[in-house]
Amino acid sequence: MDSSYVPGEIERKWQERWEATRLYQVKDDDPRPKRYELTMFPYPSGDLHIGHWYAMAPSDAHARYMRMRGFNVLHPMGFDAFGLPAENAAIKRGIHPYVWTMDNIQRMRGQLRSMGSMYDWSREVVACLPEYYKWTQWFFLKFYQSGLAYKAKAPVNWCPSCQTVLANEQVLPDGTCERCGTTATHKEMEQWFFRITRYAEELLNYDGLEWSERLRTIQTNWIGKSVGAEISFRLEREVSGVKDLKVFTTRPDTVFGVTFVVVAPEHPIVPHLTTPERQAEVAEYVSNTRQLTDIQRQSTEKEKTGVFTGSYVVNQLNGDRVPIWISDYVLVSYGTGVVMGVPAHDARDFEFAKKYGLEIKVVIAPPDWPGDELEAAYIGPGRMVNSGQFNGLDNEQGFEAICESMEKNGAGKRTISYRIRDWLVSRQRYWGAPIPIVYCEHCGIVPVPEEKLPVLLPPDAEFKPTGESPLKGVASFVSTTCPRCGHPAQRETDTMDTFMCSNWYYLRYTSPGYDKGPFAPEKVKKWMPVDLYTGGIEHAVLHLLYSRFFIKALRDMGLVEFGEPFIRMYNQGLIIRGKHKMSKSRGNVVAPDQYVSQFGADTVRAYLMFIGPWDQGGDWNDSGLAGVNRWLARVWNLVDSGYRSTTVDAASEARIRRATHKTIKRVTQDLDAFRFNTMIARLMELTNELGEVQRAGNISGGEWKSAVECLLLMMAPSAPHLAEELWEKQGGDYSVHNQRWPEWEEELTREDEITMVVQVNGKLRDRISVSQSVSEGEAREMALSSARVRQYVDGKQIRRVIYVPGKLINVVV
RNA sequence: GCCGGGGUGGCGAAAUGGCAGACGCGGCGGACUUAAAAUCCGCUUCCCGCAAGGGAGUGUGGGUUCAAGUCCCUCCCCCGGCACCA
């Protein structure tokens, strides 16, 4: 043995050489077919932790594999550099967000390089630099011009800790802020919104996308499409010019069963509907409702409450006069904020009617219904009764017939309702792209002209979280002149949600230095869409949904020619530690650096791939690192200690050739399916076989060399430094990463001697060795003549013999 | 409550309806060494047995099948999504 495996030395050596020779620089005019493989860019929080490596090492291996498969692979990296932690650091430690962020980026670049990844750093994108956010602002203007950005006063989510508004998507199901975990509250504020709702229907279509069902379901649920009808109920007495109440329902077929109408307590019409004698009671109920948190209010355990307003509406389909109630089970933000109460056919309405003694009128007969009172709401299908001219129809036909009839007489119309709301994009924080808008006394809202971009963040803001943007306090920033009329005017002081930055960074990678627009159209045309995108599923209704919307909008503006940014999406799992997600604030972050210095980057990379299925994640445990390191050292010794052939025999040569080809096949298939864990296992197996051969010396030097070469080529994506070093030692051309991925021959993967399992009544009794080409008769005879089988068969009648070619024989007695 | 995903050795995990536990960790034994570390070799699901061998076994209970971790049904547990959305 000449030397031992010292990863630190070879990793530094090759990282320098790769950089010096620009090995990973991607050329736009490369004739090979393009392939865009992207990993979500990280937030520069300070240090790369093991979770980052878990996201990046396997995706880097896959990109390297595709490169060896003959693709011109674009695999870039950058930094999602705007965001709150930078500002919090400024508040806490007096460091300017810019300095804090850029320092972190500098450190993380080094850590990313130490991973041995193939990122083309000449394409790096940093979202907080003016050369980048200039274009983020430019997109804002495009959205504004297209009518997709608007300012409106609306009830919004507010995080009291972050001191800013949040998009609906940033509030977790339990009502807390997704960033800091504080319970969000509501405020009525004038804010900027993007009209994602305009694309709700199209966003439900995933044709041509290879996304997991899980991910699609999350988005589909979030969009929340309901098909139904909007129905007008005429107010018995007109209030402040309003003649009717509109409701949204998915069950227009039950409209004859309406016995009350319920309005959301905070609906603006409520005071007008309330009769004088009910005023006190209603006011009290409304104020109680406002004090409930969303979680309290939406708890399904909570008993229904409500009060009568004193007013009535008339059901235009049957002339029924029904009371108007208010109740907190009706949400002002969904549908029209008014619900028709059909207690016989809706569980919630049933509960409400029971409690307040309201009539329960059956209009869809359950099967075999004797006509008595219902014990519970009947939701299922049935024949229509008590429904005038529609009696006798089954309810599905009734749905259509009633809609048609209502559309004729104007009482209602078919409509579709979505749960998704427009995206709130403004934030009351400093470290983001300023919204490029000016407010002028004469001209109103005026967009900053394109040629005046970027609107630079002033460096000298005061970072106290006051609930208003720190930019508000920077007089030199705020006061400006109106771009339209030249009079004194004021700038918008809110900044954009950082998800706006990540909406388009993948476009920028295609032409990072371009200064005539956010991207060079021909480069985007060449590289987009992204063929493979990998990242965490926690972005399902955030970045991944926003980006789809963003690209569809750009397409409709004529800026791009495709409607989906990411063709194949793969969500890796989460590395946790002690039940919790790794986070700086929790203090459970595991740094890879110590492991890299102890075992080398190749070991850490391969170990992260080896620990289990990539989509599964798991609790961090470093006990297996040594095993993977041992494997790499064995591979090192395989090459480094040389091979001496002694007694060459054909069977051994055939065996190692078969093992090699089988491994190529399995490893290739595993990589195609992101099964990194079994890929590593297969490579270990081949290594073990080669170890035996090396000790025995029973194959020729030529066979040895070609098997070892295949092993190194297959290891190049996972352990790029080791493979490169050993490839060179073997006399291979620079670089192993420019070599073609090996191919297998199906013929060579086949065994000629196979072990056949012999079962008696399904229990394993013996194994026999037979030739690949054995006939059923021969195999059967061999099986039945085995002493161990006869022990169980003799004296019994053979009823059946099952023969599975190449696998087993099962004798049934 | 509804919809996904999952439950396999001491641990991380493998397994087109056809040898359960590949690969690795850990453990045990051996070689090398004065010794240890490192390395290499062997064993390692559990139970009975000196052994040969036998029996049991993939959350639970049932079913289909010559054959079930894998398919079907029941129930339990864990993770994720949705949940008063009319």
Side-chain angles (χ1 to χ4, degrees):
Chain A
M1 198 178 295
D2 298 315
S3 58
S4 54
Y5 173 43
V6 185
E9 281 172 27
I10 63 168
E11 288 177 0
R12 196 173 327 108
K13 166 182 156 189
W14 288 111
Q15 282 163 21
E16 279 165 17
R17 181 117 176 245
W18 292 335
E19 211 167 312
T21 57
R22 297 173 202 273
L23 184 65
Y24 302 124
Q25 205 166 85
V26 181
K27 295 202 177 70
D28 294 319
D29 56 3
D30 190 296
R32 292 173 296 175
K34 77 95 181 177
R35 173 92 189 166
Y36 193 171
E37 298 212 353
L38 184 64
T39 300
M40 288 179 185
F41 66 165
Y43 178 77
S45 55
D47 282 294
L48 221 52
H49 59 67
I50 209 78
H52 289 113
W53 276 59
Y54 189 66
M56 292 169 180
S59 54
D60 181 66
H62 195 270
R64 288 173 172 280
Y65 160 69
M66 293 306 284
R67 174 189 167 110
M68 293 176 79
R69 288 287 300 268
F71 290 90
N72 183 28
V73 179
L74 176 59
H75 187 53
M77 189 39 69
F79 297 94
D80 190 9
F82 269 138
L84 264 180
E87 208 167 330
N88 292 338
I91 294 161
K92 215 160 133 191
R93 285 181 281 156
I95 312 165
H96 194 277
Y98 177 85
V99 175
W100 185 84
T101 302
M102 295 312 277
D103 280 356
N104 288 347
I105 288 176
Q106 192 50 39
R107 189 157 62 251
M108 285 172 79
R109 272 193 201 113
Q111 292 171 326
L112 283 163
R113 276 196 177 86
S114 79
M115 209 174 82
S117 47
M118 59 169 266
Y119 303 125
D120 175 356
W121 287 102
S122 70
R123 291 173 184 262
E124 183 198 64
V125 151
V126 178
C128 69
L129 298 179
E131 68 205 48
Y132 183 86
Y133 73 69
K134 169 181 179 177
W135 302 111
T136 308
Q137 294 173 334
W138 183 87
F139 280 119
F140 183 95
L141 296 177
K142 290 289 161 198
F143 275 68
Y144 183 72
Q145 285 154 16
S146 310
L148 289 170
Y150 65 94
K151 198 175 192 196
K153 190 163 188 165
V156 297
N157 303 295
W158 175 263
C159 176
S161 161
C162 298
Q163 289 281 309
T164 182
V165 295
L166 300 172
N168 288 339
E169 290 80 8
Q170 288 172 300
V171 180
L172 298 178
D174 64 358
T176 59
C177 168
E178 62 94 36
R179 196 187 310 274
C180 71
T182 308
T183 298
T185 60
H186 294 282
K187 270 196 179 186
E188 186 86 7
M189 285 175 82
E190 200 171 2
Q191 294 290 307
W192 285 95
F193 292 90
F194 273 21
R195 268 189 229 283
I196 192 170
T197 51
R198 193 176 277 181
Y199 289 87
E201 187 61 40
E202 201 190 338
L203 287 167
L204 290 168
N205 182 354
Y206 305 92
D207 287 353
L209 298 186
E210 292 171 66
W211 287 31
S212 68
E213 166 160 5
R214 178 175 172 217
L215 179 54
R216 295 196 318 258
T217 305
I218 293 173
Q219 290 200 348
T220 300
N221 284 343
W222 184 257
I223 294 164
K225 178 181 181 175
S226 298
V227 177
E230 191 176 278
I231 303 177
S232 280
F233 285 81
R234 204 172 61 245
L235 281 165
E236 191 177 53
R237 143 186 91 76
E238 179 179 326
V239 292
S240 56
V242 179
K243 291 195 175 67
D244 49 25
L245 286 184
K246 289 187 172 56
V247 306
F248 173 75
T249 178
T250 55
R251 294 295 302 274
D253 51 319
T254 64
V255 69
F256 282 79
V258 173
T259 57
F260 56 95
V261 158
V262 195
V263 181
E266 57 276 70
H267 197 294
I269 200 163
V270 168
H272 306 290
L273 291 173
T274 310
T275 55
E277 65 276 15
R278 301 269 166 192
Q279 216 103 60
E281 203 187 345
V282 168
E284 195 197 342
Y285 187 83
V286 171
S287 110
N288 285 344
T289 301
R290 284 193 201 279
Q291 276 161 29
L292 293 178
T293 64
D294 283 6
I295 317 134
Q296 289 171 326
R297 176 167 172 176
Q298 289 179 20
S299 159
T300 41
E301 265 105 80
K302 177 174 157 284
E303 202 185 321
K304 301 233 173 324
T305 56
V307 293
F308 176 45
T309 61
S311 295
Y312 292 84
V313 288
V314 174
N315 184 343
Q316 300 190 68
L317 278 102
N318 57 8
D320 279 4
R321 176 174 183 261
V322 300
I324 305 170
W325 285 65
I326 62 170
S327 172
D328 61 10
Y329 81 86
V330 176
L331 307 174
V332 75
S333 58
Y334 183 77
T336 60
V338 187
V339 160
M340 65 183 205
V342 187
H345 306 294
D346 181 281
R348 298 152 298 183
D349 298 345
F350 185 87
E351 195 192 327
F352 193 73
K354 276 280 178 197
K355 173 151 181 190
Y356 293 106
L358 298 161
E359 192 192 346
I360 298 173
K361 185 179 166 194
V362 176
V363 292
I364 311 287
D368 309 317
W369 178 57
D372 57 355
E373 259 184 49
L374 296 180
E375 302 265 307
Y378 176 70
I379 319 292
R383 206 152 284 281
M384 295 178 67
V385 294
N386 296 321
S387 298
Q389 58 181 114
F390 305 101
N391 282 341
L393 293 177
D394 77 49
N395 70 301
E396 276 169 40
Q397 297 169 316
F399 184 111
E400 300 303 327
I402 285 176
C403 286
E404 243 160 70
S405 156
M406 290 192 306
E407 277 161 8
K408 252 176 229 152
N409 64 24
K413 57 173 196 248
R414 275 175 261 238
T415 177
I416 293 170
S417 187
Y418 299 92
R419 205 187 70 123
I420 191 174
R421 303 266 71 92
D422 277 339
W423 175 26
L424 200 177
V425 297
S426 40
R427 296 289 180 274
Q428 289 70 50
R429 298 299 299 237
Y430 169 78
W431 195 233
I435 292 174
I437 289 288
V438 167
Y439 299 101
C440 166
E441 241 175 77
H442 307 281
C443 312
I445 295 177
V446 182
V448 173
E450 276 179 36
E451 60 277 11
K452 291 273 175 61
L453 296 181
V455 175
L456 288 170
L457 263 179
D460 51 350
E462 177 123 26
F463 305 113
K464 274 195 223 121
T466 59
E468 291 197 317
S469 169
L471 293 178
K472 238 179 186 150
V474 185
S476 60
F477 175 83
V478 175
S479 61
T480 182
T481 52
C482 172
R484 201 165 287 163
C485 70
H487 280 87
Q490 306 199 312
R491 284 193 194 281
E492 167 67 63
T493 53
D494 283 356
T495 54
M496 281 183 247
D497 182 358
T498 56
F499 283 106
M500 189 64 189
C501 309
S502 51
N503 265 340
W504 70 281
Y505 77 105
Y506 48 92
L507 301 174
R508 188 68 180 170
Y509 283 137
T510 67
S511 41
Y514 193 70
D515 61 359
K516 294 178 191 65
F519 53 81
E522 74 280 5
K523 304 287 196 232
V524 157
K525 200 167 170 179
K526 177 193 166 81
W527 288 105
M528 288 295 295
V530 173
D531 298 285
L532 173 66
Y533 196 31
T534 59
I537 201 158
E538 67 274 14
H539 284 113
V541 296
L542 293 159
H543 166 55
L544 291 172
L545 187 64
Y546 295 149
S547 291
R548 292 183 66 213
F549 154 61
F550 196 82
I551 286 298
K552 288 176 196 304
L554 295 199
R555 177 204 57 203
D556 291 345
M557 293 171 202
L559 294 169
V560 300
E561 293 172 11
F562 48 91
E564 288 286 351
F566 318 123
I567 299 300
R568 185 168 185 183
M569 179 74 224
Y570 190 95
N571 299 109
Q572 84 273 359
L574 193 65
I575 291 290
I576 56 169
R577 201 182 177 204
K579 282 241 170 216
H580 297 290
K581 191 177 163 174
M582 281 184 203
S583 74
K584 255 191 158 172
S585 55
R586 196 170 249 122
N588 63 348
V589 175
V590 178
D593 305 37
Q594 45 168 331
Y595 300 120
V596 173
S597 53
Q598 191 180 350
F599 298 112
D602 284 340
T603 293
V604 180
R605 288 172 63 106
Y607 178 63
L608 287 166
M609 292 181 221
F610 184 61
I611 47 177
W614 197 27
D615 59 2
Q616 197 176 288
D619 212 345
W620 173 251
N621 179 347
D622 58 15
S623 66
L625 270 163
V628 172
N629 188 245
R630 277 199 280 270
W631 167 52
L632 295 182
R634 279 204 304 277
V635 174
W636 175 273
N637 292 335
L638 225 47
V639 176
D640 193 54
S641 57
Y643 176 75
R644 278 230 319 274
S645 128
T646 50
T647 50
V648 175
D649 75 90
S652 301
E653 294 203 322
R655 199 175 61 236
I656 203 72
R657 204 177 306 135
R658 188 160 52 238
T660 307
H661 280 255
K662 273 174 125 169
T663 306
I664 298 171
K665 182 178 180 177
R666 289 293 306 271
V667 166
T668 303
Q669 290 172 343
D670 283 349
L671 276 166
D672 286 336
F674 305 109
R675 290 189 298 251
F676 298 99
N677 57 330
T678 49
M679 169 196 72
I680 299 287
R682 303 282 88 95
L683 293 172
M684 286 173 170
E685 280 175 322
L686 183 59
T687 305
N688 293 345
E689 293 218 38
L690 285 169
E692 278 174 45
V693 166
Q694 188 177 39
R695 280 192 296 280
N698 54 5
I699 68 173
S700 72
E703 287 291 345
W704 171 262
K705 188 157 192 254
S706 71
V708 168
E709 273 176 10
C710 277
L711 176 65
L712 294 178
L713 290 171
M714 286 188 279
M715 287 178 67
S718 324
H721 311 88
L722 177 83
E724 187 79 287
E725 177 73 15
L726 294 180
W727 182 255
E728 188 189 54
K729 274 179 178 278
Q730 275 272 99
D733 292 338
Y734 182 74
S735 150
V736 71
H737 305 296
N738 285 338
Q739 305 305 312
R740 280 307 290 246
W741 185 254
E743 282 175 24
W744 77 89
E745 277 177 54
E746 195 61 45
E747 193 51 43
L748 292 178
T749 64
R750 282 203 198 99
E751 307 278 348
D752 28 60
E753 279 277 291
I754 47 178
T755 302
M756 193 164 258
V757 169
V758 185
Q759 297 179 331
V760 177
N761 287 347
K763 279 192 197 252
L764 173 72
R765 293 303 178 192
D766 201 4
R767 298 182 171 92
I768 55 174
S769 190
V770 298
S771 114
Q772 172 75 257
S773 55
V774 73
S775 73
E776 177 169 354
E778 285 164 354
R780 200 176 159 134
E781 202 173 305
M782 282 174 75
L784 289 171
S785 61
S786 139
R788 302 172 41 115
V789 171
R790 278 222 307 273
Q791 197 185 327
Y792 293 92
V793 172
D794 280 353
K796 294 185 181 126
Q797 196 190 347
I798 296 175
R799 302 165 69 110
R800 237 175 114 180
V801 177
I802 315 276
Y803 174 70
V804 183
K807 286 263 165 65
L808 77 122
I809 292 172
N810 187 8
V811 182
V812 186
V813 295

PDB file of all heavy atoms in Angstrom, chain A residues 41-52:
ATOM      1  N   PHE A  41     -32.645  28.152  -3.933  1.00  0.00           N
ATOM      2  CA  PHE A  41     -31.522  28.898  -3.364  1.00  0.00           C
ATOM      3  C   PHE A  41     -31.776  29.191  -1.887  1.00  0.00           C
ATOM      4  O   PHE A  41     -32.913  29.385  -1.473  1.00  0.00           O
ATOM      5  CB  PHE A  41     -31.150  30.134  -4.194  1.00  0.00           C
ATOM      6  CG  PHE A  41     -32.141  31.271  -4.278  1.00  0.00           C
ATOM      7  CD1 PHE A  41     -31.712  32.522  -4.746  1.00  0.00           C
ATOM      8  CD2 PHE A  41     -33.481  31.139  -3.924  1.00  0.00           C
ATOM      9  CE1 PHE A  41     -32.587  33.593  -4.840  1.00  0.00           C
ATOM     10  CE2 PHE A  41     -34.361  32.202  -4.027  1.00  0.00           C
ATOM     11  CZ  PHE A  41     -33.902  33.428  -4.480  1.00  0.00           C
ATOM     12  N   PRO A  42     -30.707  29.177  -1.084  1.00  0.00           N
ATOM     13  CA  PRO A  42     -30.891  29.305   0.365  1.00  0.00           C
ATOM     14  C   PRO A  42     -30.972  30.760   0.814  1.00  0.00           C
ATOM     15  O   PRO A  42     -30.492  31.664   0.124  1.00  0.00           O
ATOM     16  CB  PRO A  42     -29.624  28.658   0.931  1.00  0.00           C
ATOM     17  CG  PRO A  42     -28.587  28.905  -0.109  1.00  0.00           C
ATOM     18  CD  PRO A  42     -29.313  28.900  -1.438  1.00  0.00           C
ATOM     19  N   TYR A  43     -31.551  30.950   1.981  1.00  0.00           N
ATOM     20  CA  TYR A  43     -31.482  32.236   2.641  1.00  0.00           C
ATOM     21  C   TYR A  43     -30.122  32.293   3.340  1.00  0.00           C
ATOM     22  O   TYR A  43     -29.752  31.347   4.032  1.00  0.00           O
ATOM     23  CB  TYR A  43     -32.625  32.381   3.661  1.00  0.00           C
ATOM     24  CG  TYR A  43     -32.516  33.689   4.388  1.00  0.00           C
ATOM     25  CD1 TYR A  43     -32.918  34.867   3.765  1.00  0.00           C
ATOM     26  CD2 TYR A  43     -31.928  33.766   5.642  1.00  0.00           C
ATOM     27  CE1 TYR A  43     -32.752  36.087   4.390  1.00  0.00           C
ATOM     28  CE2 TYR A  43     -31.755  34.982   6.276  1.00  0.00           C
ATOM     29  CZ  TYR A  43     -32.168  36.146   5.641  1.00  0.00           C
ATOM     30  OH  TYR A  43     -31.976  37.351   6.248  1.00  0.00           O
ATOM     31  N   PRO A  44     -29.369  33.368   3.178  1.00  0.00           N
ATOM     32  CA  PRO A  44     -28.019  33.420   3.778  1.00  0.00           C
ATOM     33  C   PRO A  44     -28.061  33.709   5.280  1.00  0.00           C
ATOM     34  O   PRO A  44     -27.758  34.799   5.709  1.00  0.00           O
ATOM     35  CB  PRO A  44     -27.326  34.548   3.001  1.00  0.00           C
ATOM     36  CG  PRO A  44     -28.429  35.413   2.509  1.00  0.00           C
ATOM     37  CD  PRO A  44     -29.639  34.540   2.322  1.00  0.00           C
ATOM     38  N   SER A  45     -28.416  32.701   6.034  1.00  0.00           N
ATOM     39  CA  SER A  45     -28.608  32.890   7.469  1.00  0.00           C
ATOM     40  C   SER A  45     -27.295  32.915   8.231  1.00  0.00           C
ATOM     41  O   SER A  45     -27.281  33.233   9.404  1.00  0.00           O
ATOM     42  CB  SER A  45     -29.480  31.761   8.007  1.00  0.00           C
ATOM     43  OG  SER A  45     -28.893  30.523   7.655  1.00  0.00           O
ATOM     44  N   GLY A  46     -26.207  32.537   7.579  1.00  0.00           N
ATOM     45  CA  GLY A  46     -24.935  32.622   8.277  1.00  0.00           C
ATOM     46  C   GLY A  46     -24.072  31.402   8.047  1.00  0.00           C
ATOM     47  O   GLY A  46     -22.931  31.509   7.630  1.00  0.00           O
ATOM     48  N   ASP A  47     -24.626  30.238   8.322  1.00  0.00           N
ATOM     49  CA  ASP A  47     -23.858  29.015   8.121  1.00  0.00           C
ATOM     50  C   ASP A  47     -24.694  27.965   7.432  1.00  0.00           C
ATOM     51  O   ASP A  47     -25.877  27.823   7.701  1.00  0.00           O
ATOM     52  CB  ASP A  47     -23.378  28.464   9.474  1.00  0.00           C
ATOM     53  CG  ASP A  47     -22.183  29.236   9.989  1.00  0.00           C
ATOM     54  OD1 ASP A  47     -21.131  29.160   9.337  1.00  0.00           O
ATOM     55  OD2 ASP A  47     -22.319  29.944  11.011  1.00  0.00           O
ATOM     56  N   LEU A  48     -24.027  27.232   6.587  1.00  0.00           N
ATOM     57  CA  LEU A  48     -24.678  26.111   5.932  1.00  0.00           C
ATOM     58  C   LEU A  48     -24.814  25.000   6.970  1.00  0.00           C
ATOM     59  O   LEU A  48     -23.849  24.648   7.629  1.00  0.00           O
ATOM     60  CB  LEU A  48     -23.751  25.645   4.809  1.00  0.00           C
ATOM     61  CG  LEU A  48     -24.333  25.257   3.475  1.00  0.00           C
ATOM     62  CD1 LEU A  48     -25.247  26.348   2.949  1.00  0.00           C
ATOM     63  CD2 LEU A  48     -23.220  24.969   2.493  1.00  0.00           C
ATOM     64  N   HIS A  49     -26.014  24.489   7.154  1.00  0.00           N
ATOM     65  CA  HIS A  49     -26.115  23.365   8.080  1.00  0.00           C
ATOM     66  C   HIS A  49     -26.390  22.081   7.318  1.00  0.00           C
ATOM     67  O   HIS A  49     -26.493  22.073   6.098  1.00  0.00           O
ATOM     68  CB  HIS A  49     -27.121  23.630   9.201  1.00  0.00           C
ATOM     69  CG  HIS A  49     -28.522  23.908   8.745  1.00  0.00           C
ATOM     70  ND1 HIS A  49     -29.308  22.955   8.145  1.00  0.00           N
ATOM     71  CD2 HIS A  49     -29.267  25.036   8.805  1.00  0.00           C
ATOM     72  CE1 HIS A  49     -30.484  23.481   7.872  1.00  0.00           C
ATOM     73  NE2 HIS A  49     -30.481  24.742   8.244  1.00  0.00           N
ATOM     74  N   ILE A  50     -26.485  21.005   8.074  1.00  0.00           N
ATOM     75  CA  ILE A  50     -26.553  19.691   7.451  1.00  0.00           C
ATOM     76  C   ILE A  50     -27.821  19.551   6.602  1.00  0.00           C
ATOM     77  O   ILE A  50     -27.853  18.808   5.632  1.00  0.00           O
ATOM     78  CB  ILE A  50     -26.410  18.588   8.539  1.00  0.00           C
ATOM     79  CG1 ILE A  50     -25.773  17.337   7.962  1.00  0.00           C
ATOM     80  CG2 ILE A  50     -27.716  18.275   9.200  1.00  0.00           C
ATOM     81  CD1 ILE A  50     -24.292  17.409   7.794  1.00  0.00           C
ATOM     82  N   GLY A  51     -28.859  20.308   6.969  1.00  0.00           N
ATOM     83  CA  GLY A  51     -30.091  20.306   6.178  1.00  0.00           C
ATOM     84  C   GLY A  51     -29.855  20.864   4.776  1.00  0.00           C
ATOM     85  O   GLY A  51     -30.421  20.370   3.802  1.00  0.00           O
ATOM     86  N   HIS A  52     -29.030  21.903   4.667  1.00  0.00           N
ATOM     87  CA  HIS A  52     -28.684  22.437   3.346  1.00  0.00           C
ATOM     88  C   HIS A  52     -27.965  21.373   2.517  1.00  0.00           C
ATOM     89  O   HIS A  52     -28.257  21.196   1.337  1.00  0.00           O
ATOM     90  CB  HIS A  52     -27.743  23.648   3.479  1.00  0.00           C
ATOM     91  CG  HIS A  52     -28.404  24.882   4.017  1.00  0.00           C
ATOM     92  ND1 HIS A  52     -28.089  25.397   5.246  1.00  0.00           N
ATOM     93  CD2 HIS A  52     -29.342  25.702   3.491  1.00  0.00           C
ATOM     94  CE1 HIS A  52     -28.809  26.498   5.458  1.00  0.00           C
ATOM     95  NE2 HIS A  52     -29.585  26.694   4.411  1.00  0.00           N
TER      96      HIS A  52
END
